[in-house]
Amino acid sequence: MTTEYSSFERDLDAAFFNYAHLTGAVELYIQVLETPALQRAFSKTISGQEIEWKMIHRFMSLANQTVVWYPELPVGTILQQKNTIIGLLYGIFLSRMIGLVDYYFSSVLKSRFCHTEKSGSSWDAFSQKAKIDLLVRKNGAQVYSLLQERHKIEHNKAQIDQTFVDRMLKKGVTHSYAAGDSIQKSHLDVLAARDAIKEFVADVDSLMT
């Protein structure tokens, strides 16, 4: 394996670690908001009083003063957004994982081919310079799909549009989406994405040694 792959693998594992624990923290927070008994137990531990939470705000203490930096909201209002919050974290970390693939490509392009790609994506440039059809590598079509999903999560509110469908058709990549669908993922989907990305880059990297 190349040094570029070693760096990629380390960063991918770190991203997945962060995803697992940040989503765990958010899910615990949501569970507390949904469970008055947990609210009372938490309040008892912190303040010595059993309190059920009606309103939530964010604050920090500065020079013995409490500074509220996010206004209070009813618990129910926050709970209505729980799926959106988890979905946001998925989008952030999918973007991070795909970004690591692109950084691997960029690093190899620079170190092996003295090429610096400025288009925002190194997929096509890497394929051309290294003379590797990335779509036929292990999980290549799946990773390409994730690349396109990432773009829709970031720029189209996680909605599949006709551009996505046409682009996938042009590349000959099969998928289950139709225009108008919403991208929704579970933790197991994130795990599968991590594994597919890791195997894809390892397969590509095996051709670079």
Side-chain angles (χ1 to χ4, degrees):
M1 294 297 178
T2 65
T3 57
E4 290 88 358
Y5 178 81
S6 297
S7 177
F8 158 82
E9 185 178 38
R10 182 174 59 253
D11 291 343
L12 183 68
D13 289 344
F16 193 62
F17 173 89
N18 290 335
Y19 173 84
H21 293 285
L22 284 173
T23 53
V26 170
E27 288 168 346
L28 178 60
Y29 173 61
I30 294 298
Q31 186 175 17
V32 172
L33 293 186
E34 291 175 328
T35 312
L38 290 176
Q39 296 166 21
R40 292 194 296 269
F42 187 89
S43 298
K44 178 72 172 178
T45 300
I46 298 299
S47 68
Q49 296 179 309
E50 294 189 359
I51 301 171
E52 290 187 16
W53 304 351
K54 304 298 182 185
M55 305 289 289
I56 302 294
H57 62 269
R58 298 302 313 277
F59 68 92
M60 60 189 300
S61 296
L62 292 173
N64 297 320
Q65 290 187 332
T66 298
V67 179
V68 175
W69 58 266
Y70 193 84
E72 65 179 14
L73 292 171
V75 167
T77 299
I78 299 169
L79 290 176
Q80 289 173 2
Q81 298 297 319
K82 65 179 182 179
N83 291 331
T84 301
I85 295 170
I86 295 296
L88 174 63
L89 287 176
Y90 168 76
I92 289 170
F93 280 95
L94 174 62
S95 180
R96 172 64 175 161
M97 290 191 293
I98 289 296
L100 291 173
V101 176
D102 199 63
Y103 185 77
Y104 166 81
F105 288 155
S106 297
S107 298
V108 174
L109 282 170
K110 186 174 182 179
S111 65
R112 304 297 176 89
F113 303 101
C114 299
H115 175 85
T116 300
E117 182 59 33
K118 299 179 181 179
S119 68
S121 173
S122 296
W123 179 284
D124 290 336
F126 183 90
S127 183
Q128 293 167 7
K129 294 289 185 180
K131 295 181 171 53
I132 297 173
D133 185 349
L134 295 173
L135 284 176
V136 303
R137 304 313 307 174
K138 186 174 184 179
N139 303 325
Q142 184 177 352
V143 173
Y144 184 80
S145 297
L146 291 170
L147 176 66
Q148 301 307 315
E149 287 181 16
R150 185 273 296 266
H151 186 76
K152 295 308 168 187
I153 290 171
E154 290 185 341
H155 303 293
N156 204 43
K157 297 183 178 180
Q159 299 295 309
I160 298 299
D161 57 16
Q162 194 60 44
T163 300
F164 176 98
V165 175
D166 292 344
R167 183 171 291 148
M168 300 294 275
L169 180 62
K170 183 178 179 180
K171 289 289 188 179
V173 178
T174 59
H175 60 91
S176 59
Y177 289 119
D181 286 349
S182 178
I183 299 171
Q184 298 180 345
K185 301 291 182 177
S186 70
H187 295 321
L188 293 181
D189 292 320
V190 179
L191 172 62
R194 190 282 306 264
D195 290 345
I197 288 169
K198 194 170 189 175
E199 290 174 357
F200 166 74
V201 175
D203 184 47
V204 172
D205 194 74
S206 68
L207 303 176
M208 306 307 300
T209 55

